[in-house]
Amino acid sequence: EQKRATFLADLAPAAQSLFARLRQWRAETAKAQGVPAYIIFQDRTLKEIAEQRPETHTALIRILGVGEAKANRYGEQILALTKVGQGAGKN
């Protein structure tokens, strides 16, 4: 748990929230596919997605650990998750 706190320490609160949503999505996706969660994406990839909040397929592919195949397979779902709550707290 200490290691995870250190891993996430440099993330802004909104990015930490997105990271948690991404991990939940990954767990559900992995379970549905009958594979370990890390096969879908590693934590460091989810962290980078949470930090960068890509808005396009091209931006998603630029993230380490995504690649064309995973972007094609999961991109739409990931991009939808990155848009959830983006405008929250802005007046």
Side-chain angles (χ1 to χ4, degrees), residues 22-79:
L22 289 165
R23 288 190 86 231
Q24 180 65 36
W25 166 84
R26 179 184 67 183
E28 292 167 2
T29 302
K31 184 176 180 181
Q33 293 180 16
V35 299
Y38 71 87
I39 296 295
I40 308 295
F41 289 115
Q42 294 184 5
D43 275 353
R44 71 177 185 195
T45 301
L46 296 183
K47 181 180 178 188
E48 193 168 338
I49 292 169
E51 288 173 326
Q52 294 190 22
R53 286 188 177 262
E55 295 181 4
T56 66
H57 184 86
T58 301
L60 185 60
I61 290 173
R62 291 186 182 132
I63 293 176
L64 181 68
V66 176
E68 188 71 39
K70 287 188 178 184
N72 287 337
R73 186 166 189 178
Y74 306 117
E76 195 172 303
Q77 297 167 63
I78 294 292
L79 294 176

Side-chain angles (χ1 to χ4, degrees), residues 13-23 49-51 53 81-82:
Q16 288 183 20
S17 176
L18 175 55
F19 179 78
R21 288 194 310 274
L22 289 165
R23 288 190 86 231
I49 292 169
E51 288 173 326
R53 286 188 177 262
L81 284 168
T82 63

